[in-house]
Amino acid sequence: MEKYKTIQGITLIALIITMIILLILTGITIGSITGQNGLIEKANQAKNVNLKAQMKEALILAISDLQIEKEGNATIDDITQEFLEEKLKEYKCEIIEDSITEKKIKIEKDGVTNIFVIDKNLNIKEELSEDKPQETDKDIPTIGEDIDISNPIEIETYISIKSNTVNTLNLSNIEEINYLIESKTDNLNLEGNVLTANDKANSYDICKILITGKYEGQSYKNNLTVFVEPKNRTTIQDKNGNIKEAFAIYEEQDLIRMQEIVSTGANNKCNVKMMNDLKLNENLYQFNENGKIVFNETAKKYNIIGTKDHPFLGIFEGNGKIISGLYLKLEENEKNGGLFGIVRQNAEIKNITLKDSYVSGEDIGCIVGYNEGTIYRCKVETSTIETNAKRWAGGIAGINNGDIIECATSGYFYGMDIGGIAGLNGTNAQHMGITPNSTTGKIYRCYTSGYIGFSETSGIVSHSGSYGGEGYINDCYSIANVEDNYHKGAITSVNGYLGTGYINNSYYLNLKYTFAGVSTPAYAGNINNSYQNDTSITAEKLNTEESKEIWINDVKDESGNWKYNNGYPILKWQTEV
């Protein structure tokens, strides 16, 4: 037995020596196997990279599970030590930094460490971990938005410059770099990596540059689009009174450029201020003798501002200006359209009037298709909405899970599930794959006139507080011509279907049309101090202890005529604008 063990040991040594000789003969050295850059080291590096990728994937899945459990309402506060230990059991996890805006998490396994940062929107960013070399001079040009070259694949980046400026593009980590103009206008010029915009450059000008080179030994390619900001910048106030920098929109092309900036993801948090009225189409359409809409042959269609992937998150200050002639016609596979498409929480749209415009499609509003932000003192005048037997349309918003405050509409609104202010107000239902951040819709101090008709229509909202949501309609009135061949509700067609709806201190008054109630009796929800076709209605009847002087009685002009509403109650803010 002892002899056998000796022979076995000699055989093993001989086998190892034979393998080493064969490797040397084929040009592979011991150092190349065991050295710092050897095969074993590279294998270990590959293993580490793979393990770190697994860590990130596990964290992504854990947060996805949390979003499902919380029905899309998860917050950064839900990312606790207990949560990590439960969801990532095969890893050692530790929250190493904790604040109201982000959490820094260290994940370890088999001697490999990775650090991730989770922001308040539950986005995950990988941070340089302890065993990863630090990088310097990384990836940013000297103008506009940073160019992310951490993953050297083909990407498209947008940056902005100002007129009458000289700008240097610096990508110091790119080797063998080459800048090639693919297209440009006359007011922009590129020599080497120096981009010049002359004093005539404005938002009509654009330059597309192809950047190629090597990044950490890998091929790098980037299509860079440079646009010129509007000539002047300005400032606006947010709802908290904070002063913020904004784009100044003077002309139609500025509005188009803003749409491109937001909807391509270049900057969907941009702030904007209207400086002039804009006429996008002259005499956009007319009704023929059969009541059909006939469009001007030269009518131009426009794209929405804010998409599912890049919703609008900034502030749009209308500054009391008018946009007329907006022509938006969504295709069969499109939803959520209006001047703005998708507006998420904390965004603000205010003080703009949309006039003589046309919007058609599904989940549409003249101002916003899907809203979670604040829409304040916006008006829609002499405009047309058509849903073509599709759902959810409103004079202001198609679907509202945000705040619509002191807005007014008039026009011709025709279709399914259509309301003078919103189609659907307060819902937990998904639309076009959008998971609501908010499921509560609030419509306060709004009024409507004009025509609203076909099926499940109402003066203010078609469906409020429906499909798991909560909807509020407070201090609103409608004098619109409302025709409905299905549900019969004056202010809402359906109030609280699979959800909770509230109507407070509101009224409908148009004696030409009769309804069974403020809302359809079968779906009445919660109704308080609200009326339909009550000619004895007064401001005193509508005001409450909690909301004094929201309502005032109509006033007369110098000729003795009623100024606003034929002698019936109006909202006090109507006299302030």
Side-chain angles (χ1 to χ4, degrees), residues 518-537:
V518 169
S519 184
T520 304
Y523 305 105
N526 302 279
I527 300 175
N528 178 55
N529 194 35
S530 297
Y531 311 89
Q532 67 97 13
N533 282 344
D534 180 352
T535 55
S536 66
I537 192 72

Side-chain angles (χ1 to χ4, degrees), residues 304 328 330 335-342 359 362-370 398:
I304 59 174
L328 182 73
L330 298 186
K335 292 184 181 182
N336 302 305
L339 177 62
F340 291 81
I342 297 175
V359 180
E362 186 173 357
D363 298 352
I364 56 172
C366 286
I367 304 295
V368 177
Y370 175 86

Side-chain angles (χ1 to χ4, degrees), residues 22 252 264 523 547:
L22 288 172
E252 177 185 342
T264 58
Y523 305 105
S547 56

Side-chain angles (χ1 to χ4, degrees), residues 212-229:
T212 56
K214 298 285 186 182
Y215 176 70
E216 294 185 352
Q218 300 182 61
S219 177
Y220 173 78
K221 182 179 181 182
N222 181 15
N223 290 287
L224 178 68
T225 300
V226 180
F227 60 85
V228 180
E229 295 176 5

Side-chain angles (χ1 to χ4, degrees), residues 57 66 94 102 104 124 140 160 170 197 199 202 285 416 437 481 487 493 542 556 562 576:
E57 184 177 357
L66 179 64
E94 179 186 358
E102 66 178 29
K104 190 175 290 187
I124 300 171
I140 56 173
S160 63
N170 283 329
D199 58 1
N202 58 35
Y285 63 88
M416 295 267 301
N437 291 322
N481 297 318
H487 292 311
S493 177
L542 292 165
K556 291 185 177 182
W562 293 113
E576 299 170 357

Side-chain angles (χ1 to χ4, degrees), residues 7 44 98 109 117 196 279 292 358 361 385 412 416 539 552:
I7 293 170
N44 286 333
D98 192 349
K109 185 178 180 181
V117 177
T196 304
K279 188 169 286 187
K292 298 293 183 183
Y358 176 90
I385 297 174
Y412 177 82
M416 295 267 301
I552 62 173

